Amino acid sequence: MSAIEVRGLRRSYGQREVLHGLDFDVEPGEVFALLGPNGAGKTTTVEILEGYRERDGGRVTVLGEDPGVAGTGFRARIGIVLQSSAVYPSLTVSETLELFAGYYPRPRDPGEVVRLVGLEEERDARVRILSGGQLRRLDLGLALVGDPELLFLDEPTTGFDPAARRRAWDTILGLRELGKTVLLTTHYMEEAQRLADRLAILRDGRLVATGTPQELLSANGTVEIRFRRGGEDVVLRTDEPTRVLHELTREALAAGDELDELEVRRPTLEDVYLELTREEGT
Amino acid sequence: MRLLAHELRNQQRLFWRSRESAVFTFAMPLALLGLLGAVYGDREIDGVDGASYLLAGMLGYGIVATAFAGLAIHLVIRRESGVLKRVRGTPLPAAAYLAAVILSTLLVIALQTGAQLLIGRFAIGADLSVAGGGFAVAVLLGTLSFAALGLALTAAVRSGEGSSAVVTAVYLPMVFVSGAFFSVERLPGFLEAIAGVLPLTYLLEFLRGSLVDGEGIGSAWTPIGVLLLWAALGIAVALRTFRWEPRSA
């Protein structure tokens, strides 16, 4: 059975429909990334799966339950990092982790979680003096302290400096080693590529692509040939780069021209993502 | 039960760590009782000695400041900053959280009541004739009614920064009009009419009756009825409007 099963998920805010029927599955033990620009519907989707928001249509099953009606037993099996949230500023890091550990039937040792998210130095510091990155790590610690089967991470590294982002990636990869299922949202392609077994790209409330990073590349893997001619950039896209390049160079040789700045490249996942999420008409 | 005790300990820790709650909601009514008692304690107000009148008034004021104002302000700040949403995502039941908040308030008020009685009796010489049962019911019912109204009030406040100002604007006039600080017999007619429906007016009547005149529950059916009505109103509104997620988001 899939950890998450979404069929025909719809949601409107007033007159505006923001999710137009999503379908996807997340398998147990996999890291699944939901990717898309701001406003594409990532947070709405995740908050429906977490049980915070109601849906207007479709079927959603998370760990075998409907999150719209599931109770405390369901919440004991999931861990949540919200895009923005807070904890009590007057508690210390340890106190906060111990408080949350107490909410769960089978928590992890809070001291171990402090080490896991790299907050040993700040163990006895009040939450109010933590930096943004440290708060985010505490947030991740709170999501882990209940020892959940499934973790929702909504933009877990937004606002991180590159070093902190790399540390967070290591932590998330460590979760996969532990056999956890992870659904994460991000607008960084590099993050999805690094962490995700499979990913889905969301644009304007519709999934425009789903698959492994490799599948997405080969499905959209047209080769690009660029050069300059008469002061203008020329870009050719083709599935037969050998033939096209051969003809191009033969003509140039015959005419005694040089193909300035000739370049042949395969698109990166970043290119595929930008292509798929490009607004109509731009 | 284990979860409730766990959260109650946390709420107590949060209360005493917050300088605002420890100073303004806990110490302020005690300081006012000592201060006003020293000034007016010897006079006669509404036919009772000033110290007794003020003791009942400051008990009522303390209950409103803690159970109504303090509770509403803290919950709005927690809601707007996202703490409540975070807690809602854990297996802690919503009812257990709110019950812990209210029980913690009750504990603070019990401590404050003890301190008020000591100051009233020994520092400013209040002449008391206490009906223990009636007095306990007055404090308990007053706390629960104002806690219910405090929960209802949170929906009317939109931002954490504004919570203190909005809540104070609601409760401070009530404290004056209901006669916590001075006798309401000197009020203009329209204010007296307003005072005639406010819950604090009846809580003060109940507190004075049971504390100064030794009246039991039997002679307090009117204040009990009015406080229960306000509690029911508060619960009904809170059930419909209480939110766990920020309003400003």
Side-chain angles (χ1 to χ4, degrees), chain B residues 193-223:
Chain B
I194 294 175
V197 296
L198 289 176
L200 182 57
T201 308
Y202 293 90
L203 175 59
L204 290 174
E205 182 188 325
F206 196 0
L207 286 168
R208 286 193 181 115
S210 59
L211 198 60
V212 184
D213 304 328
E215 289 172 0
I217 301 170
S219 44
W221 290 116
T222 310

Side-chain angles (χ1 to χ4, degrees), chain A:
Chain A
M1 189 181 63
S2 300
I4 299 176
E5 222 179 283
V6 177
R7 293 289 176 274
L9 174 60
R10 290 179 179 281
R11 168 76 212 212
S12 304
Y13 291 128
Q15 293 291 307
R16 200 166 58 93
E17 192 170 63
V18 292
L19 297 178
H20 312 273
L22 305 188
D23 300 283
F24 64 92
D25 295 294
V26 179
E27 300 308 324
E30 92 177 333
V31 177
F32 187 90
L34 201 53
L35 203 72
N38 289 327
K42 301 188 298 291
T43 295
T44 301
T45 305
V46 171
E47 294 203 339
I48 288 171
L49 299 179
E50 291 164 344
Y52 278 115
R53 242 160 261 301
E54 289 174 4
R55 59 184 189 270
D56 297 323
R59 197 162 51 78
V60 172
T61 312
V62 178
L63 300 175
E65 298 194 60
D66 176 351
V69 298
T72 58
F74 169 72
R75 289 201 296 277
R77 297 169 66 201
I78 64 170
I80 296 174
V81 170
L82 293 164
Q83 200 176 112
S84 67
S85 72
V87 285
Y88 302 107
S90 62
L91 300 187
T92 69
V93 167
S94 294
E95 286 169 344
T96 305
L97 284 164
E98 279 156 19
L99 172 66
F100 275 68
Y103 295 154
Y104 293 86
R106 281 172 304 279
R108 296 175 68 133
D109 171 26
E112 182 195 338
V113 174
V114 164
R115 280 190 298 282
L116 195 66
V117 296
L119 286 174
E120 297 101 318
E121 305 270 316
E122 290 79 18
R123 186 188 296 266
D124 296 317
R126 296 280 171 101
V127 166
R128 75 167 95 252
I129 65 160
L130 297 185
S131 71
Q134 290 167 340
L135 271 176
R136 215 73 188 117
R137 276 185 275 157
L138 176 58
D139 239 0
L140 182 60
L142 294 176
L144 291 172
V145 79
D147 199 18
E149 297 161 47
L150 169 62
L151 278 133
F152 293 100
L153 312 176
D154 198 359
E155 298 192 4
T157 67
T158 296
F160 278 26
D161 61 50
R165 173 163 299 139
R166 246 151 243 274
R167 266 204 309 277
W169 287 351
D170 288 341
T171 311
I172 294 167
L173 288 173
L175 298 177
R176 182 170 44 194
E177 307 283 297
L178 294 172
K180 309 288 184 196
T181 309
V182 179
L183 173 63
L184 77 102
T185 75
T186 178
H187 43 229
Y188 302 115
M189 189 68 224
E190 195 194 352
E191 183 159 292
Q193 199 165 2
R194 228 20 125 72
L195 300 177
D197 299 304
R198 286 192 313 129
L199 51 94
I201 296 177
L202 196 58
R203 197 190 86 178
D204 295 336
R206 289 191 174 82
L207 287 182
V208 291
T210 313
T212 65
Q214 204 47 53
E215 283 166 356
L216 259 66
L217 271 178
S218 25
N220 301 276
T222 314
V223 173
E224 238 177 45
I225 300 171
R226 293 170 171 269
F227 56 95
R228 288 177 73 82
R229 185 159 56 195
E232 302 229 337
D233 281 322
V234 181
V235 181
L236 302 172
R237 292 201 174 84
T238 175
D239 291 327
E240 302 170 288
T242 316
R243 189 181 58 75
V244 172
L245 196 61
H246 183 72
E247 284 169 10
L248 203 61
T249 50
R250 189 179 61 202
E251 281 170 25
L253 278 175
D257 283 346
E258 179 60 46
L259 293 170
D260 287 332
E261 299 175 27
L262 176 65
E263 191 182 7
V264 180
R265 60 190 282 270
R266 295 187 63 82
T268 63
L269 213 46
E270 184 90 34
D271 297 325
V272 172
Y273 169 63
L274 289 174
E275 183 71 31
L276 287 170
T277 57
R278 197 193 327 227
E279 297 292 321
E280 307 283 338
T282 58

Side-chain angles (χ1 to χ4, degrees), chain B:
Chain B
M1 271 323 278
R2 183 190 69 78
L3 280 174
L4 184 62
H6 180 68
E7 186 58 38
L8 178 58
R9 268 198 302 279
N10 175 51
Q11 293 296 330
Q12 275 292 299
R13 180 170 57 186
L14 291 171
F15 182 89
W16 296 108
R17 259 188 208 175
S18 152
R19 206 164 300 149
E20 294 81 15
S21 14
V23 173
F24 290 101
T25 59
F26 191 79
M28 186 84 132
L30 298 176
L32 281 176
L33 178 64
L35 202 71
L36 294 173
V39 179
Y40 300 110
D42 297 336
R43 304 191 191 169
E44 191 170 286
I45 306 176
D46 275 2
V48 298
D49 67 289
S52 302
Y53 187 93
L54 283 169
L55 172 58
M58 291 306 102
L59 279 168
Y61 165 61
I63 289 172
V64 173
T66 310
F68 180 69
L71 181 140
I73 291 169
H74 280 134
L75 285 179
V76 168
I77 291 173
R78 289 175 195 171
R79 182 189 71 204
E80 292 306 313
S81 66
V83 171
L84 292 188
K85 184 175 184 179
R86 193 81 174 84
V87 171
R88 204 67 197 88
T90 73
L92 181 72
Y97 185 82
L98 292 178
V101 168
I102 292 170
L103 277 176
S104 173
T105 304
L106 200 56
L107 206 60
V108 170
I109 286 173
L111 278 172
Q112 195 183 60
T113 301
Q116 297 267 38
L117 288 176
L118 288 176
I119 294 176
R121 183 71 192 84
F122 298 108
I124 61 172
D127 185 13
L128 302 179
S129 164
V130 184
F135 180 66
V137 172
V139 172
L140 189 68
L141 184 58
T143 302
L144 296 181
S145 300
F146 277 107
L149 290 168
L151 287 177
L153 182 66
T154 57
V157 190
R158 291 186 170 266
S159 77
E161 298 81 43
S163 63
S164 189
V166 175
V167 171
T168 307
V170 174
Y171 95 92
L172 211 53
M174 173 173 72
V175 169
F176 284 109
V177 171
S178 294
F181 289 89
F182 52 84
S183 167
V184 288
E185 277 169 19
R186 277 167 251 152
L187 288 175
F190 77 101
L191 278 183
E192 212 173 314
I194 294 175
V197 296
L198 289 176
L200 182 57
T201 308
Y202 293 90
L203 175 59
L204 290 174
E205 182 188 325
F206 196 0
L207 286 168
R208 286 193 181 115
S210 59
L211 198 60
V212 184
D213 304 328
E215 289 172 0
I217 301 170
S219 44
W221 290 116
T222 310
I224 289 176
V226 174
L227 286 171
L228 283 175
L229 273 178
W230 277 104
L233 179 72
I235 291 167
V237 172
L239 282 176
R240 282 168 172 272
T241 61
F242 188 80
R243 290 173 51 125
W244 296 84
E245 298 190 22
R247 290 188 73 105
S248 42

